[in-house]
Amino acid sequence: MRLTDDLIGSDIGAYLQKHENKSLLRFITCGSVDDGKSTLIGRLLYDSKMIFEDQLASLEADSKRVGTQGENIDFALLVDGLAAEREQGITIDVAYRFFATDKRKFIVADTPGHEQYTRNMATGASTADVAILMIDARKGILTQTRRHSFITTLLGIRRLVLAVNKMDLVDYKQQVFDDIVDDFYAFADELATDLEVQPIPMSALAGINITERSNETDWYDGPSLMEYLETVPIGDKRLGAPFRMPVQWVNRPNLDFRGFSGQIAAGSIRPGDRVKTLPSGRQSTIGRIVTATGDLDEAIAGQSVTLTLTDEIDSSRGDVIVSADDPAEVSDQFQARLLWMSDTPLLPGRRYLMKIGAKTVTATINAPKYGIDINTLNDVSARTLELNQIGVTTLSLDQPIAFDPYDENREMGGFILIDRQTNDTVALGLIDFALRRASNIHWQAIDIDRSALAEQKGQKPAVLWFTGLSGSGKSTIANALQKRLFALGKHSFILDGDNVRHGLNRDLGFTDADRVENIRRVSNVARLMADAGLITLVSFISPFRNERQMARGLMADGEFVEIHVDTPLGVAESRDVKGLYKKARAGEIKNFTGIDSPYEPPLNPEVRINTVGQSPEDAAEEILGYLQEKGFLSD
């Protein structure tokens, strides 16, 4: 390795100890496409002598084969490691690289500039202390420059290097540099009041103002990039914050030991300190701080430890151990900022998995309050969020969690949203605050409960969910079944899709987002009817599995009966009693299920009805038999 440090040859122990005690700075390079991010990191690695001889030989060979600099070294190839990146000359994934100087250690994340890979850029920014925002001197401030600037400040980065790159291509003109800096400051004033910006003119390819100041820019009196990186303060504000440790694992190797393992997210802890476990609120005292190398007298933010408590407290993965004197908040409803990272837009009202720390809960996302225009930073109207859009919304969880606002604690306030069907990460979220209504609204105790109401009616509550294409016969079968239930003296009610849209859901259209909200409302009405002891027949197309699963989750175990009225599209279209398929084929009706909007058939319905060879009355008898078999109709 091309290292000049004499210690490595004479005293390896002293060399390692010297480097172990250096401070560590995490930073990212970001900006628009082809602004020179990868080239800059390659240059830093090269100039800091962190390249092995075989790496250098390979770099020289690759530069001639796929490089973009002719016979010269293409430094970008040091970090563009994917084959697709080298072939296209772009960055796709986040590339992390370690290097060190005599003064400090560094971990740099090279993030992609293309808009479609914004999610990867956000991943790199989420752990960074400093952002280097690359700007091509020939192009100035671009939309992606603004987007990356906003995302870095959104994620809590408050130190930013404005790296005006490729100054060699504009003859190192000071006016070009000054104009770009002025343009950025006009934009940055709206980003954050405490944002610290250090503009640096440079040429990453030529090495100008990278490791030392250059005579090419004798009009510039600021630091070189390396001088800045080696001296910028990086005090960890987590150390002075109240103690927080999300529980990642309950450590129980034998009957005599029970500890709670995790990485300390903020603050410090000592044996004897009073703590509280959230969300339960139970208090105890720290007994020991256990590590693989022995017990500690104190542990601080960033350390991974196992804590033992002096009391037997039930706590599990996802709970948070906090300072008893300054605990985190607990709530199940929040306002949050979202960066949407999926090609599939946000569907307000849909339930997603929310992962915050070690805890995973189910979250229902409401329609955005507003979106944010990247160019102006103004609030804009938004009914949904699409790929790379940023918005502010509210969300509610199926259980309370412990949290701190993201601006106070990244680890306790940052989360991701996951699609329940595909397991894709669809959004990055930052908690702003708990909603006041979360603590002001309570369940009212009622003396006559649902079981008493059902017993009075001589039946078990049930929600019979009829799903299928338009024209499949859902409403006809539901009507026939209700007649049979009425004849048996059973209490039932039909929630029909068309009827509900005349009142409760008359404000909704037929977009995917409106369909999700349609089912959310009806599901909650059906739940109330089940609480009243009724057998509720819900007849809706309900095209999405996710929302049918959401409806099932609202009901008590065993009360939800999914009935798939399984009619082929051709058969349903041939019936076309209402003439809707004809209009949809003619383009007169948009977002029509089965034509230009998808239908996701149930995978494992409790009852499957084939209306091609079965009359509505026969189908009703089949469902009635199922209800009798499962005990819904017993007195």
Side-chain angles (χ1 to χ4, degrees), residues 393-418:
T393 187
T394 58
L395 60 155
S396 57
L397 313 183
D398 64 344
Q399 57 184 283
I401 61 169
F403 78 99
D404 289 311
Y406 182 85
D407 290 343
E408 296 179 10
N409 189 314
R410 284 182 174 184
E411 287 76 10
M412 292 288 293
F415 63 89
I416 60 172
L417 295 177
I418 302 169

Side-chain angles (χ1 to χ4, degrees), residues 128 133 261 274 312 330 369 415 418 430 449 547-548:
L133 182 65
S261 302
R274 292 291 293 173
E312 287 293 331
V330 174
K369 289 185 172 181
F415 63 89
I418 302 169
L430 316 174
D449 61 14
E547 276 55 63
R548 298 196 299 269

Side-chain angles (χ1 to χ4, degrees), residues 3 21 36 51 65 143 156 185 187 213 316 327 343 453 471 496 542:
L3 292 168
N21 295 326
I51 307 175
R65 183 172 58 87
T143 298
Y185 276 135
F187 171 73
R213 278 173 283 186
S316 58
D343 292 321
L453 292 170
D496 183 81
S542 47

Side-chain angles (χ1 to χ4, degrees), residues 82-328:
L82 299 177
E85 293 178 325
R86 294 189 168 209
E87 291 168 0
Q88 300 177 56
I90 63 172
T91 301
I92 297 175
D93 201 2
V94 183
Y96 294 93
R97 292 293 184 271
F98 171 87
F99 70 98
T101 65
D102 288 339
K103 297 181 179 179
R104 181 171 277 174
K105 297 180 290 186
F106 304 91
I107 294 178
V108 55
D110 180 27
T111 63
H114 288 70
E115 182 177 349
Q116 70 190 96
Y117 302 122
T118 298
R119 71 194 81 178
N120 297 1
M121 177 267 162
T123 299
S126 63
T127 58
D129 305 304
V130 173
I132 299 178
L133 182 65
M134 304 293 292
I135 297 176
D136 188 327
R138 301 167 301 171
K139 301 175 182 177
I141 308 295
L142 302 176
T143 298
Q144 192 70 338
T145 313
R146 299 174 188 272
R147 177 178 285 107
H148 282 195
S149 301
F150 183 76
I151 292 174
T152 56
T153 55
L154 183 74
L155 292 172
I157 298 175
R158 291 297 180 265
R159 292 189 172 90
L160 189 148
V161 176
L162 188 66
V164 183
N165 192 31
K166 303 187 181 182
M167 287 295 295
D168 53 319
L169 301 182
V170 295
D171 298 325
Y172 300 103
K173 293 178 180 177
Q174 181 179 359
Q175 189 60 49
V176 174
F177 175 74
D178 290 343
D179 289 345
I180 291 174
V181 173
D182 290 343
D183 287 346
F184 184 79
Y185 276 135
F187 171 73
D189 285 342
E190 304 296 326
L191 289 175
T193 56
D194 57 345
L195 182 64
E196 299 176 11
V197 180
Q198 174 61 61
I200 301 178
M202 65 176 62
S203 170
L205 186 63
I208 302 300
N209 290 335
I210 303 301
T211 56
E212 58 186 25
R213 278 173 283 186
S214 170
N215 292 330
E216 297 284 0
T217 55
D218 52 8
W219 41 266
Y220 170 70
D221 59 2
S224 68
L225 177 62
M226 186 60 77
E227 288 172 345
Y228 175 85
L229 294 175
E230 288 182 329
T231 58
V232 62
I234 54 172
D236 192 343
K237 68 178 184 179
R238 297 180 304 169
L239 297 178
F243 176 73
R244 308 282 189 264
M245 192 192 83
V247 175
Q248 298 180 10
W249 177 47
V250 178
N251 187 349
R252 187 74 183 237
N254 54 58
L255 295 176
D256 300 322
F257 185 89
R258 179 184 175 86
F260 303 98
S261 302
Q263 185 177 78
I264 300 175
S268 61
I269 196 71
R270 288 174 171 272
D273 287 352
R274 292 291 293 173
V275 293
K276 181 183 291 187
T277 63
L278 299 177
S280 70
R282 295 285 303 278
Q283 291 195 29
S284 185
T285 302
I286 297 296
R288 297 168 56 196
I289 304 174
V290 182
T291 71
T293 56
D295 286 12
L296 300 179
D297 294 328
E298 182 182 27
I300 62 174
Q303 287 185 286
S304 295
V305 298
T306 295
L307 303 179
T308 66
L309 305 179
T310 57
D311 303 285
E312 287 293 331
I313 289 181
D314 182 21
S315 187
S316 58
R317 175 178 169 83
D319 290 352
V320 183
I321 301 176
V322 302
S323 166
D325 296 330
D326 197 351

